[in-house]
Amino acid sequence: MSSIQTNQVIDGVPADEAQLPLALDFSHHISELGKARRPFPIKSVFKYFGRPGLLAMAGGLPHPQYIPFESLETSLLRADAFSTLDGGNMSSFDVPTKDGPPTDPKMLDKERLVVPKWPSHSSEDVNISRALQYDLARGLQVLQQYLHDYSKRFFKPAYRDFATLVHTGNTDGWSRVIMTLLNPGDGLLMEEWTYTAAISAAQPLGVRIVPVPMDCQGFKPEALDDLLANWDEKERGFKRPRLLYTNPIGQNPCGVTVGRERKKQIYQLAVKYDFIICEDDPYYYLQEDKYVSSNERTAGESSSGVDAFFQELEPSYLSFDSTGHVIRMDTFSKTLGPGLRLGWFTCNPLIAERLERHGEISSQAPAGLSQAVVTQLLVNQWGLEGWVTWLRGLRVQYSARRDALVDALLAEIDFEVVDGDGMFSGSKVYRTVFRPTTGGVTGEKTGMTVRFVPPTSGMFCWIQVQFSGFPDPIAVAGLDETAATHEGRLWTKLADEGLLILPGWMFCAAKEVLINEHPNKIGYYRISYSDPTREDMKKAAKVLRNVLQEYCEIFGPHQ
């Protein structure tokens, strides 16, 4: 059983839910494909399994004794393996390097996690004979109940009958959402810069992406409101979009954190214009707060307690959702490992049922080994206190990594701090200008202006490079449309010099780029700080500085 919490029940309804409304009817949002799905006939008989005395001869289930795995055993880091001290350069993230095993005592002190083949006490115990068997698309019952209680306690949906459903990671989850809700030719609202796989999943299905301007807090609500209020179906050629995709915490690629008030504004627009919000939130626990320079940091323990940890975090869109307009996607990819391919939806019951029908004939249930390991870890090994301790440690680690990257950039490049504008409006921006050292054109509006805002969550730093006064590159045979631009050529130069980052065009939601945002005028680059060591970040900053100056010398404005 789930160890999250229990509540008093009144007339069959938990006391804390009695005053909450039920979700609205969202049947009008289901795509033609989603409507056509029917329950997989064989799966419908699974409800009978487990009945005492049942002669189960309906399915082609391999006999458990013919499954060769007798137990699943692994060594495990302790939940408190990483420090939960905030700031003060106290993080030990350089210890577990890729060059060899760690030497920190906490990293050497391992736990042992075991999943037996057979249940120890009841059929609800996590065991291999069940986990490796065919099962319902909603996954192991113990895990399903745990995730439902978890979402209820910490994400706090504001309606009573929400549902949770496991999936095989958020990328697969997003594909299910698109096919369940959108028909070919339908519109999809996305941040103007957004997760490249989310774009790639939508485009082949004939979905029309509608980019929405951003600032340092995510979607601009006034821009979204104006877009939808003045939607001209005849001019656009398709109906007003019914689905919005967002990556609100550690926004990929921009590193933006969407706060409480902005989420509330976007949710109110969802109700006003009746569109679904798909909240893809893999970086939720990596909320790093604002960057503070190294000489101003102080170390301090974050507040203790499970609920106190979640109160430190920005809330989910679910906490405002009293109607069922939000589909939240969570994943264990950034907290336990992407190879697990395991996560879950939290959404209204009608959409959850349609997503389950999709799962029955695609991935079926997530991999049993992944479900077994994660369930045993969260429910029986670490428990909720241990899980939150682990999350606290990760949050501190990634905060220190963010700090290390920004420290390295500021140490190598002479930035000034100015007020932001455009997509950086509302933030303090780090800004510098590179100009040719000889023969260059002087002036305020010439040169290579580099700007960035230190990320406040996630794994990525988003850097803007303005090529002011630069002549357009000379066409070169064999280079594609993106590689031939200043953005593409600078990216290639960086890669040739040993620094591999990602260019902005990969994240551009717009099919047609405005002339003043053309990658010959403005380039964007995503730099990840999730994996490199502190020394690698310092080397990367040197390469970036040198290549920027060299590129400006070669291609910059000259007299």
Side-chain angles (χ1 to χ4, degrees):
M1 294 296 292
S2 168
S3 59
I4 301 293
Q5 68 173 12
T6 58
N7 282 309
Q8 180 183 3
V9 175
I10 302 173
D11 294 331
V13 178
D16 60 345
E17 299 178 22
Q19 303 303 316
L20 295 179
L22 298 175
L24 301 179
D25 180 1
F26 285 87
S27 55
H28 59 290
H29 277 284
I30 306 301
S31 68
E32 295 304 315
L33 177 60
K35 293 175 183 175
R37 297 193 189 280
R38 296 292 181 267
F40 186 42
I42 291 179
K43 295 292 185 183
S44 65
V45 307
F46 271 65
K47 62 185 179 182
Y48 294 101
F49 281 83
R51 286 189 178 184
L54 180 71
L55 302 176
M57 303 172 68
L61 281 64
H63 194 283
Q65 291 184 354
Y66 301 152
I67 295 175
F69 303 98
E70 284 299 305
S71 68
L72 177 62
E73 302 183 27
T74 184
S75 59
L76 182 72
L77 290 177
R78 286 170 37 184
D80 62 352
F82 298 109
S83 171
T84 56
L85 286 174
D86 290 327
N89 294 309
M90 296 295 289
S91 170
S92 60
F93 82 74
D94 286 329
V95 174
T97 66
K98 293 173 285 188
D99 301 323
T103 56
D104 186 286
K106 281 191 174 182
M107 304 294 290
L108 294 173
D109 186 9
K110 304 289 198 304
E111 298 179 17
R112 184 165 168 263
L113 185 145
V114 179
V115 180
K117 183 165 187 176
W118 307 102
S120 302
H121 302 95
S122 72
S123 60
E124 291 300 311
D125 289 343
V126 182
N127 62 88
I128 290 178
S129 64
R130 173 64 187 276
L132 292 188
Q133 195 54 270
Y134 289 113
D135 207 343
L136 296 171
R138 65 185 66 132
L140 295 177
Q141 178 58 35
V142 178
L143 179 60
Q144 184 76 3
Q145 186 62 53
Y146 180 94
L147 296 177
H148 184 276
D149 293 346
Y150 187 94
S151 290
K152 176 182 174 182
R153 177 171 174 179
F154 300 120
F155 301 138
K156 304 182 186 302
Y159 62 102
R160 187 190 310 171
D161 55 339
F162 74 92
T164 52
L165 175 70
V166 292
H167 57 60
T168 56
N170 282 11
T171 302
D172 171 66
W174 170 234
S175 293
R176 286 201 217 178
V177 169
I178 299 172
M179 286 187 272
T180 299
L181 298 184
L182 298 184
N183 297 306
D186 282 348
L188 169 63
L189 299 164
M190 304 185 90
E191 291 125 338
E192 58 184 330
W193 302 101
T194 192
Y195 179 38
T196 183
I199 299 171
S200 298
Q203 286 176 332
L205 300 175
V207 172
R208 304 187 186 193
I209 295 174
V210 181
V212 180
M214 299 171 60
D215 61 16
C216 63
Q217 299 180 61
F219 287 111
K220 291 183 177 179
E222 66 278 5
L224 179 58
D225 193 5
D226 182 68
L227 173 72
L228 298 178
N230 297 293
W231 189 268
D232 189 327
E233 183 178 336
K234 184 176 180 180
E235 180 182 332
R236 294 270 189 169
F238 57 101
K239 294 180 179 181
R240 194 167 60 196
R242 297 181 292 105
L243 178 62
L244 176 146
Y245 172 86
T246 183
N247 186 200
I249 302 294
Q251 197 269 352
N252 186 357
C254 301
V256 167
T257 301
V258 183
R260 176 186 300 272
E261 288 306 312
R262 183 62 61 89
K263 284 179 176 173
K264 186 176 181 180
Q265 289 175 304
I266 300 300
Y267 171 73
Q268 288 170 343
L269 292 176
V271 175
K272 178 179 179 180
Y273 295 106
D274 191 25
F275 61 80
I276 301 293
I277 297 173
C278 184
E279 181 182 24
D280 180 5
D281 222 354
Y283 309 103
Y284 182 72
Y285 304 104
L286 309 185
Q287 298 187 33
E288 298 146 5
D289 296 327
K290 291 185 177 181
Y291 170 79
V292 177
S293 60
S294 57
N295 61 342
E296 296 178 348
R297 286 178 211 142
T298 57
E301 187 76 32
S302 57
S303 58
S304 60
V306 170
D307 290 296
F309 172 71
F310 281 89
Q311 289 168 4
E312 295 171 1
L313 304 178
E314 294 292 349
S316 165
Y317 272 102
L318 287 172
S319 66
F320 307 106
D321 186 16
S322 60
T323 55
H325 276 90
V326 175
I327 301 172
R328 180 178 171 84
M329 297 195 302
D330 284 281
T331 178
F332 293 105
S333 291
K334 305 304 187 291
T335 53
L336 295 178
L340 290 167
R341 306 317 306 147
L342 184 63
W344 76 99
F345 298 105
T346 307
C347 60
N348 72 68
L350 185 147
I351 290 179
E353 187 271 339
R354 292 291 89 192
L355 293 170
E356 183 178 355
R357 298 289 80 78
H358 184 139
E360 286 176 345
I361 47 81
S362 57
S363 59
Q364 297 194 32
L369 288 177
S370 294
Q371 290 193 73
V373 169
V374 171
T375 306
Q376 190 77 331
L377 175 66
L378 298 184
V379 177
N380 298 323
Q381 188 96 4
W382 279 355
L384 191 57
E385 292 282 351
W387 171 238
V388 169
T389 298
W390 176 255
L391 295 178
R392 285 182 188 277
L394 290 185
R395 186 185 182 196
V396 170
Q397 290 288 306
Y398 282 100
S399 297
R401 287 182 170 276
R402 184 275 313 275
D403 291 347
L405 176 63
V406 177
D407 289 349
L409 292 173
L410 299 185
E412 286 297 329
I413 302 173
D414 186 18
F415 285 97
E416 62 176 341
V417 180
V418 299
D419 290 331
D421 57 11
M423 73 171 299
F424 296 135
S425 61
S427 289
K428 293 295 183 181
V429 175
Y430 287 83
R431 176 185 178 275
T432 193
V433 181
F434 288 83
R435 292 190 175 93
T437 55
T438 58
V441 176
T442 60
E444 285 283 328
K445 298 183 179 179
T446 61
M448 183 186 290
T449 302
V450 180
R451 303 196 306 166
F452 78 97
V453 174
T456 52
S457 53
M459 298 179 170
F460 309 113
C461 184
W462 187 238
I463 291 184
Q464 181 195 75
V465 179
Q466 298 177 4
F467 303 98
S468 302
F470 279 54
D472 288 349
I474 299 173
V476 176
L479 287 183
D480 65 22
E481 183 179 355
T482 53
T485 64
H486 279 308
E487 180 187 74
R489 292 188 183 200
L490 177 57
W491 173 75
T492 300
K493 180 65 175 173
L494 287 165
D496 289 343
E497 294 298 320
L499 175 57
L500 186 61
I501 57 181
L502 290 183
W505 66 262
M506 293 185 177
F507 305 93
C508 184
K511 196 170 186 179
E512 297 179 359
V513 180
L514 297 176
I515 189 65
N516 62 341
E517 286 282 328
H518 191 280
N520 275 335
K521 304 296 182 184
I522 299 180
Y524 291 92
Y525 303 90
R526 192 194 78 174
I527 303 178
S528 170
Y529 50 87
S530 62
D531 187 46
T533 64
R534 198 182 302 269
E535 287 305 311
D536 286 343
M537 294 182 196
K538 293 177 181 178
K539 292 177 184 177
K542 291 181 187 293
V543 173
L544 180 63
R545 179 202 62 195
N546 292 339
V547 170
L548 286 170
Q549 186 62 54
E550 182 181 348
Y551 194 89
C552 193
E553 299 285 356
I554 298 172
F555 298 104
H558 288 78
Q559 293 178 344

